[in-house]
Amino acid sequence: MGLSAFFVFDAFTEFFSAFTALAVAYYAIKAHRVLEDSRMLALNLGFAILGAGMLIHGGIKVKVALAVLSGIKTPPARMMPVVRIGYLVAFATQFAAYILILIAMFLGERRLEESLLIPPLALPLIEYDARTESLLALLAAVIALRTGLSYSESDSRWTALVAAGFALLALSHALLVFGGPRLLVTADISRLLGFACLLWMLVGVSRVGE
C-alpha cells in the first residue's frame, strides 16, 4: 500500500505549521517586552517547544513523502517506526506546551492537577491516536475556555484572537478523535488557522509597543 495524498498534504502542512509555531514563539517574546506579562513568556517557551516537536515530526514525514514520491515503496506511513517516533516527540512537546500555558494562566487561581489529565497510554504511539488527540483537545479547549472568559471580561480583540486560536487548535485535535485520517486535511487547516490567529495577535501587540 503506497503513501496517500492525504499523508503528503499532512506532511508538508505540518512542516509549514512548525515554522508558524516558531514565529508565534518569536513574537511572544516581543509581546512580553511590550506587555510585561509572564504569560507571554509561557507562550514563547510553549510554542518554541511545540514548534520544535512539530518540526521533527513534520521533517520525518516530509522525508518519507519525498522518498515515496521518488518511487520508493513503503509500508503504510502511520505504522512506520520512524513516523511513530516523530509523533511521540510531537505529542510530548504539544502536551508540555499546553500544560505550560495552562499553568501560566491558572497560576495564583487554582492548582493544576496534571495527574488527573493523563490517561494510560500504550506505547509506541500510533500517529494521531484517538487517546492522545483527546488529551490534547482537552488541554487546548481548557485554554480556549479560559481565554474566552477573559475576553468576556475585557472585550479585547487580542484576547478574542487567543481564544479563537486555541479553539481552532482544540477543533483540529477533536476532528482527529472523531474522524481519524478521513478528516486529516480539515484538521491540518484548522491547526494552521489557529496558529495564524495567535501570530496575528502577537504581531499586533508587538506593533502597538513600537
Side-chain angles (χ1 to χ4, degrees), residues 20-209:
T20 308
L22 293 174
V24 169
Y26 170 74
Y27 278 99
I29 200 66
K30 293 189 69 174
H32 171 67
R33 296 192 185 106
V34 175
L35 301 175
E36 296 184 354
D37 188 335
S38 61
R39 291 174 297 182
M40 293 297 104
L41 289 177
L43 203 62
N44 165 259
L45 182 56
F47 271 82
I49 295 171
L50 186 152
M54 290 183 65
L55 195 61
I56 293 171
H57 186 213
I60 289 172
K61 292 167 68 174
V62 166
K63 185 176 180 180
V64 173
L66 290 175
V68 174
L69 290 174
S70 299
I72 300 174
K73 292 185 178 180
T74 179
R78 292 178 69 241
M79 303 305 295
M80 294 176 65
V82 67
V83 175
R84 285 190 174 193
I85 292 171
Y87 180 69
L88 175 59
V89 172
F91 165 73
T93 54
Q94 287 182 76
F95 179 80
Y98 290 162
I99 286 292
L100 183 63
I101 294 167
L102 274 173
I103 289 174
M105 285 184 168
F106 284 84
L107 191 62
E109 298 180 22
R110 67 182 69 178
R111 184 180 176 185
L112 187 63
E113 297 290 349
E114 297 179 28
S115 60
L116 297 178
L117 297 174
I118 305 177
L121 300 174
L123 298 177
L125 296 175
I126 297 176
E127 191 179 34
Y128 304 130
D129 182 80
R131 291 165 297 178
T132 55
E133 293 300 323
S134 296
L135 178 57
L136 295 175
L138 174 62
L139 294 176
V142 172
I143 297 173
L145 178 62
R146 181 66 185 86
T147 50
L149 292 173
S150 296
Y151 171 70
S152 66
E153 298 170 358
S154 65
D155 197 30
S156 166
R157 63 171 176 167
W158 304 128
T159 306
L161 282 170
V162 175
F166 279 104
L168 286 165
L169 291 178
L171 176 62
S172 71
H173 295 302
L175 287 170
L176 293 172
V177 173
F178 296 107
R182 293 173 300 173
L183 296 179
L184 187 58
V185 171
T186 308
D188 283 337
I189 293 172
S190 179
R191 178 180 60 197
L192 191 55
L193 289 174
F195 287 165
C197 286
L198 295 172
L199 187 58
W200 182 6
M201 179 275 293
L202 292 167
V203 171
V205 169
S206 300
R207 287 180 176 175
V208 168

